[in-house]
Amino acid sequence: MRVQTLYAVAGLIWGLILGPDAGLYAARVMGGVAWLYQYEDGAWADWVIIPFGAVIGLTVLFSCYQLGAAAGRRYDDTTVQRLRHAKSLPWALLVVGIAVGTVTALTIDNRQRAVANYVQAQKDAAARLLVFAETLHQITAYGVKWPGGGEAGRIDLSFGGRRHGDYRLDWKILSQDGKEPLLDGSYAVRLDPKYKSTNIPISAVELANAYVLRSKRPGAEIVVDERFRLVLELRPVLNGREWNALPDDEAARLDDGESILLARATTAFRVKFEARGGRIKW
């Protein structure tokens, strides 16, 4: 057998070994993505997971074959006669590949079963996630009382939900075109199924000073008459039992702000003041 063919066969054998495991790993990773199961009954997710794993597996198989064929093309007949390893190396790869492939073939069923069990566990966890999300508190009513004239304002909030537990309430106020908050805060709150309301004071002086400081013109004359934005986020603080019932990637989705467990609200309120020489005039 020509050495070029030996290299190609060795690449094909290693592709047959690595391809199925790469496909199974890809299917496992895809099966851990909770959003696949969050719409309707999630049955369509199998049409994503299985083809994705198959494509990755076939890609690895084809890549190994191409790698082997490319390695074989480096050696012409003259080179093979001169370099002893040029022909011994592919035979070594073939022998090792057949040995490893035999072990892999004997254990592939266990790995397939483990991946199938993991994917099913994530489906079940995603179903629990949807049910759990319905019990969480939402921001049912919200608004800003802003009397103006330099008087302190306040954020009025009401919550509704069925879960007994801890939450974190984050709020921030941004100028009309601002991306960074002028004022912000975070509060730990404990909510229960009873209807609850609270309020958060806003210092008019702090808000105006923050705007002037952000303008980077503290000594200039600044006239402000615009709608500031209030952004609210209510985040559940989960206990160990609740975490264990959720999909594996839900912690990352919470950190990224993409989780359905987050409740958000936003509104706007009008703010008017003038700043001259660093002094605020209402």
Side-chain angles (χ1 to χ4, degrees), residues 3-4 21 23 37-38 53 57-58 63 94-95 102 111 138 148-149 153 173 178 213 223 226 231 234 255 280:
V3 70
Q4 292 85 351
D21 276 332
Y37 314 109
Q38 290 178 10
L58 289 173
S63 298
L94 283 170
V95 172
T102 301
R111 293 196 298 281
Q138 303 295 315
I173 296 175
L213 183 62
V223 179
E226 63 181 79
V231 179
L234 186 64
D255 291 340
I280 306 299

Side-chain angles (χ1 to χ4, degrees), residues 29 62 64 78 89 96 107 113 116 122 127-128 134 139 162 166 174 191 197-198 200 221 259 263 269 277:
V29 171
F62 181 74
C64 288
T78 303
L89 180 58
V96 174
T107 59
R113 193 176 305 111
Q122 293 307 296
R128 291 192 296 269
E134 293 178 355
I139 304 172
R162 304 196 305 272
D166 295 321
L174 303 95
L191 301 175
S197 61
T198 190
I200 300 170
E221 180 176 338
S259 174
F269 61 102

Side-chain angles (χ1 to χ4, degrees), residues 7-278:
Y7 273 100
V9 172
L12 179 62
I13 288 177
W14 278 99
L16 291 171
I17 295 170
L18 300 176
D21 276 332
L24 287 173
Y25 179 77
R28 188 182 191 281
V29 171
M30 182 61 72
V33 180
W35 63 262
L36 287 171
Y37 314 109
Q38 290 178 10
Y39 303 96
E40 298 180 1
D41 60 359
W44 65 274
D46 289 338
W47 292 95
V48 176
I49 296 170
I50 296 172
F52 180 76
V55 168
I56 295 298
L58 289 173
T59 299
V60 171
L61 170 61
F62 181 74
S63 298
C64 288
Y65 171 75
Q66 289 293 337
L67 185 62
R73 285 193 293 270
R74 294 178 54 197
Y75 301 103
D76 56 26
D77 294 336
T78 303
T79 305
V80 172
Q81 295 296 327
R82 183 165 49 86
L83 299 176
R84 185 174 301 176
H85 76 275
K87 195 164 187 177
S88 61
L89 180 58
W91 278 112
L93 290 172
L94 283 170
V95 172
V96 174
I98 291 171
V100 173
T102 301
V103 176
T104 300
L106 294 175
T107 59
I108 190 70
D109 287 343
N110 291 335
R111 293 196 298 281
Q112 286 178 326
R113 193 176 305 111
V115 171
N117 291 340
Y118 175 80
V119 172
Q120 185 59 51
Q122 293 307 296
K123 288 182 181 180
D124 296 340
R128 291 192 296 269
L129 172 67
L130 295 177
V131 174
F132 178 60
E134 293 178 355
T135 70
L136 295 179
H137 279 73
Q138 303 295 315
I139 304 172
T140 55
Y142 54 93
V144 178
K145 183 177 181 181
W146 190 256
E151 293 185 41
R154 73 168 189 252
I155 304 168
D156 293 323
L157 291 164
S158 295
F159 308 98
R162 304 196 305 272
R163 174 180 178 261
H164 292 264
D166 295 321
Y167 294 79
R168 192 183 82 203
L169 175 65
D170 296 323
W171 64 274
K172 58 185 177 181
I173 296 175
L174 303 95
S175 60
Q176 186 168 293
D177 301 320
K179 295 182 179 180
E180 296 296 326
L182 299 171
L183 293 180
D184 58 12
S186 182
Y187 294 91
V189 293
R190 186 167 184 82
L191 301 175
D192 57 44
K194 296 180 180 179
Y195 189 81
K196 272 199 171 177
S197 61
T198 190
N199 60 74
I200 300 170
I202 308 172
S203 169
V205 174
E206 288 183 8
L207 184 60
N209 285 335
Y211 185 97
V212 173
L213 183 62
R214 187 62 53 81
S215 72
K216 298 181 180 179
R217 297 181 296 145
E221 180 176 338
I222 300 174
V223 179
V224 177
D225 183 0
E226 63 181 79
R227 295 178 66 79
F228 283 18
R229 291 179 292 130
L230 169 68
V231 179
L232 301 162
E233 182 181 89
L234 186 64
R235 173 186 298 258
V237 178
L238 306 181
N239 57 41
R241 177 181 55 80
E242 291 169 335
W243 275 123
N244 291 336
L246 299 182
D248 288 349
D249 72 334
E250 200 57 31
R253 291 173 65 81
L254 269 170
D255 291 340
D256 293 340
E258 299 176 353
S259 174
I260 64 172
L261 304 181
L262 298 172
R264 293 191 177 95
T266 184
T267 188
F269 61 102
R270 189 175 182 182
V271 177
K272 297 175 63 176
F273 67 88
E274 296 178 11
R276 291 188 178 93

